């Protein structure tokens, strides 16, 4: 049976698709939450656009490695003033 990994090392990397390498970030270390297998982090990007988010996971105690990629569109949420 599949079980969520608690205590794994999880990190994320961001790169803006429209300007590769210009606004890349990472590694951003993800923290485990209250539920096993749930990890999170916060990133601040410099401008609106599409970002590829690549997440890598490994567990030092087990021969386990995983990687996933997703494109996230960042837009303007609101204005201040």
């Amino acid at each position: 049976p599949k079980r969520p990994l608690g205590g794994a090392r999880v990190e994320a990397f961001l790169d803006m698709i429209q300007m590769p390498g210009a606004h890349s970030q990472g590694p951003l270390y993800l923290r485990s939450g209250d539920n096993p297998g749930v990890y999170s982090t916060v990133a601040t990007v410099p401008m609106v656009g599409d970002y590829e988010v690549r997440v890598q996971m490994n567990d030092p105690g087990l021969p386990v490695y995983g990687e996933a990629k997703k494109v996230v569109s960042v837009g303007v949420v609101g204005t201040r003033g």
Side-chain angles (χ1 to χ4, degrees):
K2 293 182 181 181
R3 296 179 294 130
L5 287 175
R9 180 181 174 137
V10 183
E11 51 192 28
F13 300 84
L14 306 177
D15 199 9
M16 187 175 186
I17 293 173
Q18 293 88 344
M19 300 173 71
H23 300 294
S24 60
Q25 296 182 31
L28 303 170
Y29 297 101
L30 282 74
R31 295 186 180 105
S32 58
D34 294 334
N35 298 319
V38 177
Y39 295 82
S40 64
T41 192
V42 175
T44 302
V45 295
M47 58 180 21
V48 299
D50 297 325
Y51 289 82
E52 180 183 80
V53 180
R54 181 171 46 98
V55 177
Q56 295 178 333
M57 181 279 309
N58 67 36
D59 188 327
L62 299 170
V64 176
Y65 174 83
E67 181 174 296
K69 295 179 183 178
K70 180 168 180 72
V71 173
V72 176
S73 294
V74 176
V76 177
V77 175
T79 59
R80 295 181 186 180

